[in-house]
């Protein structure tokens, strides 16, 4: 490619039909820009989605795309990756699609570490079916199916990822293109399953649900921007996170006469399980919401291992001869007289 | 039963309670032997080994393994009885036999569960060592059945304490008594090999090969086998030996094969004929799992396998693989196929090739996992939302399953559609001799992944087949989107246009119905007109064909058609049925094909149905026809 690619090179001819003000627009633009910036090609990029507002995403990408069925995109993507491992495969999903009806598939994709990039649009509500509460909705959420408030406990996507043995988990805000871009690029470069939770606003059914995190006025106190090798600082460096009693995170004031930076926890994406569990327990407004790459560790991807095994068998046994396979085991020959020889 | 109806003499079936003493090596035409014991007794292994011996001797064979769903039901219980029936013959046979001529009962439960099937006057070999008080009670007998002279006098009974004889034979091996007990099935095998004049050496070699990794166990089994063989020779337990001469086969190379292995080999062959890799993705389920097991071994034959987290992911990954340009395959049984329904619809609307192997078992719900049934035809035809027709092929025998797998793949890739290949538990586990095809004689059907964007549109169709092109991600200049939403008839973009939806439903229907253009002539046994046409499908083929043979020898005007293409049906079928006075549709269900034929052709067909988890007997079919006319 001689000319530098731009976002426009990945924009399809289909009219985008999300509601005005939907967070999905910003995510779409960020992904298109990521592909352009990383030298991706339309033919080698595939977007596979399930069902839900966000799952219309593939229609708007000038790449290969597959709008599949509710919750099942990770399984279709896994099969695609097995048959065509050179492709750059993205899964587009939402909190209902990935964590409710498709919970089993996301769990196993993460466990196997199939080389996929999964973007989880988390708006804590079912938008396409008109506003029912979702598995990430806070307790007490009032919705058409829970007019007196929901009584079930929400799932934390990062906890699920940790429990599933995920090798890459990041969290970003839909409209924060500056942070989302590098995270998408890191996810794309990561070998194995990358799960990116994007806090996404639904202006129709759940407007402002992420306000505690995303509100610009309170952003500095409610956002914890994770940087590799740097101490956990927020509020313009005036506050930080220290290891408290019983392996819990503790907010401390930082500065002269207060806690020193050396006492603070230092972010390592490949840190201990205990550290990751601590990050998972932190959520706004009690804590600043951790944003960035929360976890990244190296582990061979499933497709890599599965295909290496095929190669190994080929090496050991040679290319199979079908005639020999058909006649394997006990055979006998019947002669021209119709009797066994 | 078939030996009496065909009028041949069979000392294994003497037909009279009076013992007859035939000479040594008496020739008999065919014999049905059933081994029955506890599920831990190794009856399946014994049956398989005895089958190999019959095959090596050149007999025609047909087998029927019948085992419980529980891996180890309580020892000695009726629920835990496992059986293996082998029919071997010097003439052409199609079924494992209606009723055994010889029953080997390894314990009281096996006797109780099976004696009702044994021919009157048949040979009954009983392992008396297992008839302890507790075992007799576990089988539900009030008193020891060995004392029931009124019952036993109906059979030629041989009482042998196999437990004790094996224990003695293995005295020097140093095995524990539990381990020795596990060898007793080989004693029974040895005894039967002697009775039917099988060479001992190939059997001994087989046993040693089978237990290559545990030579001590192999040696012990050989000792038990020899003990049984020699016991026959010296103890004169049977008065005589019998010989079943080799059957006459077409010249060629043969092997035994079960339906599930044949399907697996068929998929490997299909991949090579299509010149396309095969990706199998599935989830374990009885009785389909062994298809998956076999394919997992063929990684150097262009096959990749994936054990998914559930049935839905199983088909999902297969669809993904097809989208990526491979032949996606999944296999399951009724409950799993039910879970796959939505995804089958997706494959149908995005028009990707896919092979779905459905090995039917007793239903509904979990039903009878290890028993055979044909009750998932409706599921195959109708088990999806929306107008969602797709081709359905039914294998009729274990060997036919090989060719059906190839045919299913050919249709899937030629017409860009999911195809359901129906098998059943009887075909899956039953074995028969297979004349090996020459791979070069199989017709290739290389698939084409379109790479030329000139004049192409995602849903533009081939004028003849109405199939769209298979464009695989990675192809430059042809990036496009597919999905489960209704699409424009050319561009494939989402379309809610009312006229377009009707047009798309019709064109998808036309594409599938057009497949019948590929069909050859009917394979009919008998004339193309007459009194009765027996119609069947799937694994009932053997029983129906054999019954028709018997009826025709009796001078009855009966023909038989086993339908292979269940959907779309052969357009000539309507005219064919008009040539007969009566149509009898025989199925192991409550009349599913019957309803389809009646609704498609307004034909006054009659059903003959059975829902017992067991195949038809030849006698049942003969009686049904006799009652009809």
């Amino acid at each position: 490619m001689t000319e530098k690619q731009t976002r426009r090179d990945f924009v399809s001819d289909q009219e985008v039909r999300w509601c005005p003000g939907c967070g999905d627009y910003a995510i779409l633009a960020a992904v298109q820009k990521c592909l352009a910036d990383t030298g991706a090609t339309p033919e080698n990029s595939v977007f596979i989605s399930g069902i839900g507002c966000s799952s219309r995403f593939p229609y708007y990408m000038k790449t290969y795309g597959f709008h599949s069925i509710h919750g099942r995109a990770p399984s279709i993507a896994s099969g695609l990756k097995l048959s065509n491992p050179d492709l750059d495969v993205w899964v587009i999903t939402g909190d209902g699609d990935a964590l409710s009806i498709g919970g089993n598939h996301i769990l196993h994709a993460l466990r196997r570490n199939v080389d996929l990039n999964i973007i989880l649009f988390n708006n804590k509500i079912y938008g396409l079916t008109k506003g029912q509460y979702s598995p990430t909705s806070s307790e007490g959420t009032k919705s058409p199916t829970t007019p007196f408030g929901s009584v079930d406990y929400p799932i934390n996507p990062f906890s699920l990822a940790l429990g599933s043995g995920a090798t890459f988990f990041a969290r970003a805000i839909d409209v924060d293109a500056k942070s989302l871009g590098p995270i998408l690029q890191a996810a794309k470069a990561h070998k194995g399953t990358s799960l990116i939770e994007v806090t996404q606003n639904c202006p129709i059914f759940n407007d402002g649900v992420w306000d505690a995190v995303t509100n610009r006025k309170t952003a500095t106190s409610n956002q914890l921007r994770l940087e590799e090798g740097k101490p956990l600082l927020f509020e313009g460096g005036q506050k930080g996170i220290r290891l408290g009693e019983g392996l819990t995170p503790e907010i401390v004031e930082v500065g002269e006469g207060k806690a020193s930076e050396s006492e603070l926890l230092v972010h390592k994406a490949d840190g201990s399980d205990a550290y990751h569990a601590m990050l998972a327990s932190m959520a706004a407004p009690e804590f600043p919401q951790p944003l960035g790459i929360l976890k990244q560790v190296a582990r061979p991807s499933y497709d890599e291992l599965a295909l290496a095994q095929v190669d190994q068998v080929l090496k050991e046994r040679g290319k199979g001869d079908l005639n020999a396979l058909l006649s394997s085991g006990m055979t006998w020959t019947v002669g021209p007289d119709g009797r066994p020889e | 039963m078939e030996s009496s109806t065909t009028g041949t003499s069979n000392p294994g079936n003497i037909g009279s309670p009076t013992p007859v003493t035939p000479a040594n090596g008496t020739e008999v035409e065919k014999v049905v032997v059933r081994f029955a014991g506890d599920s831990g007794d190794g009856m399946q292994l014994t049956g398989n080994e005895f089958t190999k011996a019959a095959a090596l001797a050149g007999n025609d064979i047909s087998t029927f393994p019948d085992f419980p769903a529980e891996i180890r039901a309580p020892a000695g219980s009726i629920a835990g009885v496992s059986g293996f029936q082998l029919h071997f013959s010097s003439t052409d046979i199609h079924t494992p036999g209606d009723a055994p001529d010889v029953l080997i009962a390894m314990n009281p439960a096996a006797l109780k569960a099976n004696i009702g099937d044994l021919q009157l006057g048949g040979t009954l070999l009983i392992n008396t060592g297992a008839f302890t008080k507790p075992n007799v009670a576990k089988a539900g007998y009030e008193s020891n059945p060995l004392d029931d002279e009124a019952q036993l006098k109906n059979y030629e009974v041989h009482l042998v304490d196999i437990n004790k004889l094996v224990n003695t034979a293995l005295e020097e091996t140093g095995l524990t008594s539990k381990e020795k007990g596990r060898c007793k099935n080989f004693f029974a095998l040895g005894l039967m090999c002697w009775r039917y004049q099988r060479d001992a050496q190939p059997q001994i070699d087989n046993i040693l090969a089978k237990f290559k990794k545990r030579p001590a166990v192999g040696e012990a089994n050989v000792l038990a086998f020899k003990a049984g063989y020699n016991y026959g020779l010296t103890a004169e337990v049977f008065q005589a030996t019998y010989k079943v001469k080799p059957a006459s086969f077409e010249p060629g190379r043969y092997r035994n094969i079960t339906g599930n292995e044949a399907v697996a080999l068929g998929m490997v062959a299909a991949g090579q004929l299509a010149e396309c890799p095969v990706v199998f993705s599935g989830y374990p389920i009885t009785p389909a799992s062994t298809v998956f097991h076999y394919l997992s071994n063929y990684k150097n034959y262009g096959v990749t396998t994936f054990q998914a987290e559930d049935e839905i992911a199983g088909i999902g990954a297969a669809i993904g693989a097809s989208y990526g340009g491979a032949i996606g395959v999944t296999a399951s049984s009724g409950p799993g196929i039910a879970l796959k329904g939505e995804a089958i619809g997706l494959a149908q609307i995005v028009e990707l090739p896919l092979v779905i192997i459905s090995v039917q078992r007793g239903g509904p719900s979990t039903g009878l996992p290890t028993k055979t049934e044909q009750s998932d035809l409706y599921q195959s035809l109708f088990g999806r939302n929306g107008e969602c027709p797709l081709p359905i092929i039914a294998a009729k025998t274990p060997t036919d399953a090989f060719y059906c797998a190839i045919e299913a793949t050919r249709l899937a890739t030629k017409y860009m559609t999911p195809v359901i290949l129906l098998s059943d538990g009887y075909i899956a586990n039953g074995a028969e001799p297979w004349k090996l095809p020459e791979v070069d004689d199989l017709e290739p059907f290389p698939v084409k992944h379109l790479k030329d964007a000139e004049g192409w549109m995602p849903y533009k169709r081939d004028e003849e087949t109405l199939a769209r092109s298979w464009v695989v991600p990675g192809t430059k200049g042809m990036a496009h989107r597919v999905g489960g939403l209704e699409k424009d008839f050319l561009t494939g973009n989402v379309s809610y246009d009312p006229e377009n939806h009707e047009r798309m439903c019709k064109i998808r229907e036309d594409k599938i119905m057009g497949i019948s253009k590929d069909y050859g002539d009917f394979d009919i046994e008998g004339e193309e007109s007459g009194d009765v046409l027996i119609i069947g499908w799937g694994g009932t083929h053997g029983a129906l064909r054999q019954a028709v043979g018997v009826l025709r020898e009796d001078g009855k005007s009966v023909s038989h058609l086993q339908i292979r293409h269940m959907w779309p049906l052969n357009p000539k079928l309507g005219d064919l049925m008009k040539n007969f006075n009566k149509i009898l549709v025989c199925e192991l269900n409550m009349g599913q094909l019957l309803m389809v034929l009646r609704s498609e052709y307004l034909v006054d067909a009659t059903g003959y149905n059975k829902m017992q988890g067991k195949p038809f007997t030849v006698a049942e079919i003969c009686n049904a026809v006799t009652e009809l006319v």
Side-chain angles (χ1 to χ4, degrees):
Chain A
M1 203 151 295
T2 47
E3 275 177 59
K4 189 172 156 32
Q5 293 189 112
T6 69
R7 184 173 93 73
R8 305 297 316 167
D9 293 315
F10 293 92
V11 176
S12 84
D13 60 359
Q14 296 296 293
E15 182 194 4
V16 184
R17 292 189 185 164
W18 287 312
C19 306
C22 176
D24 292 3
Y25 284 94
I27 305 171
L28 176 65
V31 171
Q32 287 162 336
K33 183 166 189 307
C34 167
L35 294 191
D37 291 348
T38 53
T41 62
E43 63 268 19
N44 259 354
S45 308
V46 187
F47 285 80
I48 301 181
S49 62
I51 294 293
C53 293
S54 62
S55 286
R56 300 296 174 95
F57 194 100
Y59 293 120
Y60 310 138
M61 295 294 298
K62 199 168 134 191
T63 62
Y64 282 89
F66 197 154
H67 178 210
S68 76
I69 46 178
H70 208 5
R72 320 302 172 196
S75 62
I76 292 168
S78 298
L80 175 62
K81 197 70 191 173
L82 270 183
S83 72
N84 208 334
D86 297 333
L87 298 171
D88 199 11
V89 182
W90 299 75
V91 171
I92 304 296
T93 185
D95 38 313
D97 192 60
L99 302 175
S100 202
I101 194 166
N104 198 30
H105 308 305
I106 200 135
L107 185 166
H108 289 280
L110 292 168
R111 170 178 74 82
R112 292 189 188 104
N113 202 31
V114 186
D115 192 16
L116 308 172
N117 311 308
I118 305 178
I119 309 181
L120 168 60
F121 293 46
N122 185 5
N123 58 12
K124 300 193 180 190
I125 206 80
Y126 285 116
L128 196 64
T129 50
K130 299 197 185 345
Q132 301 83 356
Y133 81 112
S134 92
T136 54
S137 297
S138 311
E139 281 171 281
T141 297
K142 289 192 176 171
S143 81
T145 54
T146 52
F148 306 105
S150 66
V151 295
D152 44 324
Y153 188 76
I155 191 167
N156 176 341
F158 186 38
S159 299
L160 174 83
L162 291 177
S164 310
T167 60
F168 184 104
F169 183 91
R171 189 184 288 136
I173 297 167
D174 50 4
V175 292
D176 180 8
K178 216 171 119 195
S179 314
L180 183 54
I183 284 175
L184 290 170
Q185 291 194 20
K188 182 170 177 282
H190 180 73
K191 193 91 185 127
T193 311
S194 318
L195 179 59
I196 307 147
E197 178 194 7
V198 184
T199 64
Q200 178 238 326
N201 191 42
C202 173
I204 307 297
F205 295 109
N206 217 12
D207 197 23
V209 68
W210 287 106
D211 250 12
V213 179
T214 57
N215 192 322
R216 284 174 208 272
K217 288 180 197 153
T218 53
T220 58
S221 53
N222 284 349
Q223 296 177 1
L224 179 64
R225 301 277 175 167
L226 301 172
E227 286 182 72
E228 186 66 18
K230 299 275 175 64
L232 304 188
L233 282 165
F234 64 107
E235 195 103 52
Q238 291 172 35
K239 286 185 180 171
I241 305 290
R242 183 170 76 179
L243 183 61
E245 260 183 66
L247 289 176
T248 55
E250 182 190 4
I251 297 174
V252 290
E253 308 254 340
V254 180
E256 275 197 34
K258 300 169 189 160
S260 79
E261 273 196 21
S262 63
E263 292 173 51
L264 301 182
L265 285 163
V266 172
H267 178 63
K268 285 178 78 77
D270 66 350
S272 69
D273 291 350
Y275 171 65
H276 286 134
M278 209 179 304
L279 285 183
S281 72
M282 292 164 61
E286 292 77 20
F287 283 95
Q289 188 93 0
L291 297 169
I293 299 169
L294 279 69
K295 180 180 180 184
Q296 184 172 16
V297 295
R299 176 153 67 82
S301 70
Y302 177 88
D303 36 304
E304 196 180 332
L305 293 171
L307 297 169
Q309 190 175 62
V310 172
D311 287 344
Q312 182 66 24
V313 175
L314 265 171
K315 212 167 109 187
E316 283 167 11
R317 301 190 178 177
K319 194 169 179 306
D321 169 31
L322 184 57
N323 271 317
L325 177 65
L326 297 186
S327 56
S328 57
M330 192 195 74
T331 63
W332 67 96
T333 304
V334 171
D337 60 350
R339 305 292 172 189
E341 281 175 353
Chain B
M1 181 61 72
E2 55 272 29
S3 40
S4 58
T5 48
T6 52
T8 49
S9 76
N10 182 347
N13 163 27
I14 51 180
S16 143
T18 320
V20 174
T21 310
N24 254 5
T26 304
E27 270 184 26
V28 289
E29 183 193 337
K30 47 187 145 190
V31 183
V32 178
V33 174
R34 185 185 295 176
F35 294 92
D38 202 59
S39 40
D41 282 344
M43 292 296 97
Q44 301 304 320
L45 177 60
T46 312
N48 275 315
E49 292 301 310
F50 195 52
T51 302
K52 284 184 193 167
L56 264 188
N59 298 141
D60 196 3
I61 55 160
S62 176
T63 72
F64 179 47
D66 188 21
F67 44 85
E70 293 76 18
I71 298 301
R72 290 279 187 276
S77 68
I78 295 279
V81 173
S82 171
F84 188 103
Q85 185 162 315
L86 167 66
H87 188 183
F88 54 102
S89 170
S90 58
T91 54
D92 193 22
I93 51 167
H94 300 287
T95 77
D98 282 9
D101 304 307
V102 181
L103 172 65
I104 295 101
M106 297 299 283
N107 70 2
L111 179 69
K112 190 168 188 199
N114 290 283
I115 193 161
D117 295 339
L118 182 62
Q119 301 263 14
L120 278 183
T123 301
L124 178 59
L125 174 72
I126 295 177
N127 171 23
T128 57
F131 281 65
T132 59
K133 249 191 179 162
N135 279 351
V136 166
K138 269 189 242 169
Y141 280 118
E142 283 178 9
S143 62
N144 194 330
L146 301 184
D147 300 332
D148 183 357
E149 282 176 22
Q151 186 181 49
L152 295 186
K153 77 172 170 44
N154 293 323
Y155 310 100
E156 180 201 320
V157 180
H158 302 281
L159 302 173
V160 182
D161 189 344
I162 296 178
N163 286 13
K164 191 174 158 194
L165 289 165
V166 168
N167 250 320
T168 312
L170 302 185
E171 216 159 26
E172 317 258 289
T173 57
L175 294 183
T176 64
S177 60
K178 198 175 166 189
E179 288 167 328
K180 285 179 197 158
R182 290 213 188 105
C183 299
K184 60 180 182 281
N185 54 330
F186 284 94
F187 184 98
L189 178 66
L191 195 50
M192 295 315 285
C193 280
W194 174 79
R195 181 176 160 102
Y196 294 101
Q197 299 195 337
R198 306 303 188 201
D199 287 340
Q201 198 53 46
Q203 295 305 310
I204 291 169
D205 295 343
N206 263 343
I207 296 168
L208 291 175
K210 189 111 210 153
F211 292 93
K212 200 166 52 192
K213 285 180 187 158
R214 287 176 297 163
V217 177
E219 291 291 345
N221 283 330
V222 167
L223 282 176
F225 173 84
K226 282 183 179 166
Y229 199 91
N230 293 335
Y231 187 77
L233 197 64
T234 55
E236 295 189 351
V237 50
F238 303 120
Q239 288 84 351
T241 61
Y242 300 93
K243 187 168 173 59
V244 176
K245 286 211 303 195
S248 186
F249 287 96
E250 272 180 55
R253 201 151 172 226
Y254 284 79
R255 67 173 288 186
N256 282 339
I257 194 149
T258 63
N260 273 2
E261 186 167 16
V263 165
L265 291 176
M267 284 315 311
V268 177
Q272 302 211 350
L273 297 170
E275 295 170 18
C276 189
V278 171
V279 175
F280 178 96
S281 164
Y283 187 77
I285 185 170
T286 302
S289 298
T290 50
V291 173
F292 193 170
H293 300 176
Y294 286 118
L295 284 171
S296 300
N297 284 299
Y298 305 151
K299 294 204 157 54
N300 54 330
Y301 291 85
V303 177
T304 307
T305 55
F306 177 66
Q307 182 170 323
E309 57 271 23
D310 58 29
E311 293 282 2
I312 301 171
I315 189 168
I319 291 172
S322 287
Y323 179 54
I327 295 164
V329 192
T330 191
S332 190
S333 189
I337 300 291
L339 287 166
K340 294 179 194 293
E342 185 192 13
I344 298 174
L346 176 69
Q348 202 263 8
I349 195 170
V350 297
E351 302 189 43
L352 280 171
L354 184 70
V355 178
I356 303 142
I357 299 157
S358 172
V359 187
Q360 299 165 96
R361 66 190 217 188
S365 187
T366 311
L368 301 170
T370 59
K371 310 295 177 191
T372 196
E373 204 163 281
Q374 298 183 298
S375 47
D376 295 338
L377 177 61
Y378 284 167
Q379 181 186 50
S380 309
L381 281 164
F382 311 127
R384 296 165 294 284
N385 59 305
E387 294 291 344
C388 193
L390 46 78
I392 303 165
I393 298 173
K396 59 183 183 183
T397 61
T399 55
D400 188 44
F402 175 82
Y403 302 99
C404 284
I406 295 173
E407 172 72 351
T409 310
R410 190 184 68 80
L411 293 180
T413 52
K414 180 174 176 184
Y415 293 93
M416 295 292 282
T417 177
V419 176
I420 292 181
L421 166 52
L422 284 170
S423 173
D424 60 47
Y426 171 71
I427 293 174
N429 295 318
E432 63 176 357
W434 180 33
K435 182 177 177 237
L436 295 170
E438 279 299 325
V439 172
D440 290 344
D441 295 343
L442 302 170
E443 196 171 335
F445 50 93
V447 300
K448 194 177 163 203
H449 296 140
L450 188 71
K451 292 193 169 71
D452 181 8
E454 186 72 35
W456 163 82
M457 294 279 242
Y459 274 76
K460 192 175 167 189
R461 290 167 193 279
D462 179 274
E463 282 176 14
E464 193 208 321
T465 62
L466 299 181
R468 74 182 190 100
S469 303
W470 196 357
V471 176
V472 172
T475 313
K476 213 172 168 178
M478 298 174 87
H480 65 286
R481 276 65 58 193
V482 295
L485 284 169
E486 187 57 278
K487 41 201 48 27
D488 178 83
F489 76 99
L490 262 187
T491 62
N493 289 330
V494 176
S495 168
Y496 296 109
D497 178 68
E499 304 292 327
N500 180 75
H501 176 54
E502 186 160 310
R503 183 178 187 179
M504 287 300 274
C505 285
K506 282 184 174 163
I507 207 159
R508 287 190 289 260
E509 167 93 6
D510 289 349
K511 179 178 83 165
I512 300 305
M513 297 317 281
I515 286 173
S516 66
K517 290 196 296 271
D518 283 14
Y519 298 170
D521 287 333
F522 290 120
D523 171 25
I524 294 181
E525 175 81 358
E527 290 76 32
E528 299 209 357
S529 63
D531 280 347
V532 181
L533 176 65
I534 295 182
I535 298 182
W537 62 279
T540 57
H541 173 80
L544 301 185
R545 188 129 299 196
Q546 196 122 1
V548 167
V550 171
L551 291 162
R552 290 174 61 79
E553 266 187 35
D554 245 21
K556 296 212 165 64
S557 166
V558 182
S559 300
H560 168 224
L561 171 69
Q562 197 75 0
I563 297 179
R564 183 193 230 196
H565 290 101
M566 303 303 293
W567 198 261
L569 291 163
N570 192 323
K572 297 178 203 155
L573 185 56
D575 286 339
L576 178 74
M577 288 192 289
K578 283 181 192 150
N579 296 340
F580 290 86
N581 297 328
K582 306 252 178 175
I583 307 291
L584 185 67
V585 184
C586 302
E587 304 175 81
L588 298 174
N589 59 36
M590 305 277 274
Q592 301 193 0
L593 176 62
L594 177 70
M595 194 200 82
V596 173
L597 293 180
R598 290 175 74 114
S599 88
E600 284 291 305
Y601 299 104
L602 295 176
V603 61
D604 185 19
T606 308
Y608 180 68
N609 306 90
K610 179 173 173 180
M611 295 287 290
Q612 299 173 8
K614 291 199 284 196
F616 283 128
T617 65
V618 174
E620 283 167 345
I621 303 300
C622 291
N623 290 341
V625 172
T626 310
E627 273 179 31
L628 187 71
V629 290

